[in-house]
Structures are given as C-alpha cells and as structure tokens.
Amino acid sequence: MNGAFDRRLRFCEAWLMLGAMRRAPDIAAAVAEAYRLFPDNGLGGPLQVCTCGVCMSVAMKAEIEKTSRERLSVEQISEYLNSAHEASGALASQQMRWLLPRLLECCAEGPWPYWNTEHTFTKLNEAGLPDWPEAERLAVRRVFLGLLAASFGGLPGGDEPGVLIEAFVRAGEPIGPYLELWEGDRSEPASVALAEFINWQLTWAKGERYLRSSESWSSKADNDLFIAWLVQPETVIRLQEAFFSASSTAKAEVLSLAHDVIATPGR
C-alpha cells in the first residue's frame, strides 16, 4: 500500500471512529442555513452559459437573468448545469454561489434538478469549494449528508447512495464524512442499500476487487478508499446481522448475496 493511500485510509478510519452514531442533519434546516450563508448578491453580470441552441436558448438565458433565485425552476437550474461548461473565473464562481442554495433546495425537495447525478455538483469544484471558508463548506456538507441519509430510504429524486457519494466527491468533498454516516446508520434500509450497492458495483477480476463505475470516479484514491471500506470485516458482520433480522425474504436474499460477494470474492 503506498503512503498517500495509507494516509487517506487512516483519515477515513478516523472519521468513522470520531462519530459513527452522529445523526444526519435536518435537511430543511441545512438548506435554510445555506440560504443564510450564501446571500443573494445577484448574478454580477450576464449569465455565463453557452447559447448555441443545443445547450441553452437565448430566451431561457434572459428568463433566468430576470428571475429571483428563490423562484428558479428545476428546469432552469438543469439548463444552467448543462450549459455553463465554458464558464470560468470570478464571475462564474459568483454565479454558482448565487444559484447554490436553490440548487440544494431542489435536490432536497425533488425532483432531482439534473439528469446526470454524478455531475450535478461538478461546478462547485470548479468554483473552488475545497478552498471556501469553513462555514460555507460545512453548510454544503450538511445538505449533502441530509441527501445521503434520505437516499437510504429512497429519495424523491437523485439516485442511490453510492452515486450520490460519487457526486459529492466530484464537488470537491472528502469521502470520509459520507462513509461515516453510512457506517453509523444501522437501520434496515441503510443496510439493504449497502447490500444493493455491493451487489451492483463490487466485482472481482485478476485477483483484485474493483467498482464497476470506477472509471467515472474523479479520484482513484477515493475509489480505493470506498472499496477498502466496503470489504472491511465490519461490513461482513453488519450484513450477517441484518440478514438474521431481515423483515422480508427478498431483503434477506439481497443481504445474503452481498455477504457472499465480500466473504467469498471471485466465487
């Protein structure tokens, strides 16, 4: 194991030990906090988007520019995320920060505002999220944690937990807090969601485990940490316990299959 991976694994483990039983934040309160920490300072100039016709229409651009952010529709936000691919610099960052609370609100309330879940928050990374003031970074993280917690029981939009975690990592977030939340939530829905992810994503080839979507991850180190967390002995124990207390035969079968994927790789 190389030194960089070892350090990140220790960081991930530290997160898990520090607060395995912390509750996920109240998502409505987290969105309200995001509105408070990201005040409405306006767009600061013309909306930086591509209006080639395939991306955003000129009419849609003008419509967004005159709409207050609290009234932005899911369609408008989706159009922005799909059309701001050439935006850059301070103005683009300001516009992303202006739109952010409404984007987070739409994610929390559903339907999910963008068809490509993994890339919903990519613009956050491009806007420098990892270097934002701590209070702002934590405000975004609280919403993300709330979205992940909701996904264990089924989101009104978005996707399953593994895809959401990938989206958060692409935004520039460390993976540790999200694995911590999943580790700490021992409810049946969270355990079944974990088993379903293992069955869908974790596979074995040429003597190594890997995720089927590994090529789409923005960070190989985070991908490797995710795998290390999935195959830890504690996961085997968790799946066994959930299997013996499963509320239905169908859930027991999902849990049993995931247990076998980890306990007898390559079988």
Side-chain angles (χ1 to χ4, degrees), residues 79 89 116 152 159 197 238:
E79 286 286 322
N116 194 335
F152 297 149
D159 218 312
F197 180 78
R238 173 179 183 166

Side-chain angles (χ1 to χ4, degrees), residues 130-164:
D131 298 319
W132 288 3
E134 182 180 20
E136 295 178 354
R137 287 186 287 106
L138 292 180
V140 174
R141 185 174 300 170
R142 280 191 287 271
V143 177
F144 284 176
L145 288 169
L147 292 172
L148 180 61
S151 75
F152 297 149
L155 272 174
D159 218 312
E160 54 83 29
V163 174
L164 289 181

Side-chain angles (χ1 to χ4, degrees), residues 91-111:
L91 180 58
S93 179
Q94 178 177 340
Q95 293 182 353
M96 182 68 230
R97 293 165 71 92
W98 171 79
L99 177 141
L100 178 59
R102 180 58 180 148
L103 167 60
L104 296 173
E105 183 176 33
C106 288
C107 291
E109 294 180 350

Side-chain angles (χ1 to χ4, degrees), residues 116 118-119 122 162-163 166-167 169-170 200-201 211-220 223:
N116 194 335
E118 295 96 321
H119 290 275
T122 300
V163 174
E166 180 179 347
V169 170
R170 285 183 179 276
W200 172 52
Q201 279 290 336
L211 298 178
R212 297 184 190 278
S213 64
S214 60
E215 292 184 359
S216 69
W217 277 72
S218 58
S219 166
K220 183 180 184 304
N223 178 75

Side-chain angles (χ1 to χ4, degrees), residues 33-253:
E33 180 71 357
Y35 269 108
R36 186 184 73 81
L37 284 173
F38 296 93
D40 188 353
N41 294 323
L43 286 170
L47 190 66
Q48 287 197 344
V49 291
C50 175
T51 55
C52 66
V54 176
C55 294
M56 183 182 290
S57 68
V58 174
M60 174 67 82
K61 176 178 179 291
E63 184 179 311
I64 293 175
E65 289 173 339
K66 68 182 182 182
T67 302
S68 63
R69 70 173 182 180
E70 291 84 357
R71 297 178 64 85
L72 289 171
S73 68
V74 169
E75 179 186 8
Q76 289 171 327
I77 290 175
S78 179
E79 286 286 322
Y80 172 82
L81 294 174
N82 195 52
S83 307
H85 45 80
E86 295 182 357
S88 62
L91 180 58
S93 179
Q94 178 177 340
Q95 293 182 353
M96 182 68 230
R97 293 165 71 92
W98 171 79
L99 177 141
L100 178 59
R102 180 58 180 148
L103 167 60
L104 296 173
E105 183 176 33
C106 288
C107 291
E109 294 180 350
W112 197 261
Y114 195 49
W115 64 272
N116 194 335
T117 303
E118 295 96 321
H119 290 275
T120 299
F121 305 110
T122 300
K123 295 299 296 181
L124 272 179
N125 203 342
E126 296 171 5
L129 173 64
D131 298 319
W132 288 3
E134 182 180 20
E136 295 178 354
R137 287 186 287 106
L138 292 180
V140 174
R141 185 174 300 170
R142 280 191 287 271
V143 177
F144 284 176
L145 288 169
L147 292 172
L148 180 61
S151 75
F152 297 149
L155 272 174
D159 218 312
E160 54 83 29
V163 174
L164 289 181
I165 291 175
E166 180 179 347
F168 304 152
V169 170
R170 285 183 179 276
E173 276 284 274
I175 197 171
Y178 305 100
L179 300 187
E180 173 200 356
L181 180 65
W182 212 345
E183 179 81 9
D185 188 338
R186 294 307 179 98
S187 65
E188 182 178 68
S191 294
V192 171
L194 177 60
E196 289 175 337
F197 180 78
I198 290 170
N199 295 337
W200 172 52
Q201 279 290 336
L202 192 63
T203 189
W204 178 271
K206 297 181 180 179
E208 294 184 2
R209 294 180 175 94
Y210 69 93
L211 298 178
R212 297 184 190 278
S213 64
S214 60
E215 292 184 359
S216 69
W217 277 72
S218 58
S219 166
K220 183 180 184 304
D222 283 322
N223 178 75
D224 292 344
L225 277 175
F226 205 162
I227 293 173
W229 177 74
L230 288 171
V231 302
Q232 63 181 327
E234 289 80 1
T235 303
V236 176
I237 296 171
R238 173 179 183 166
L239 294 172
Q240 288 175 333
E241 292 175 346
F243 169 81
F244 287 115
S245 61
S247 61
S248 72
T249 301
K251 291 176 181 177
E253 290 176 350

Side-chain angles (χ1 to χ4, degrees), residues 9-19:
L9 180 57
R10 288 198 298 270
F11 167 76
C12 180
E13 291 171 342
W15 262 106
L16 297 176
M17 290 186 291
L18 280 173

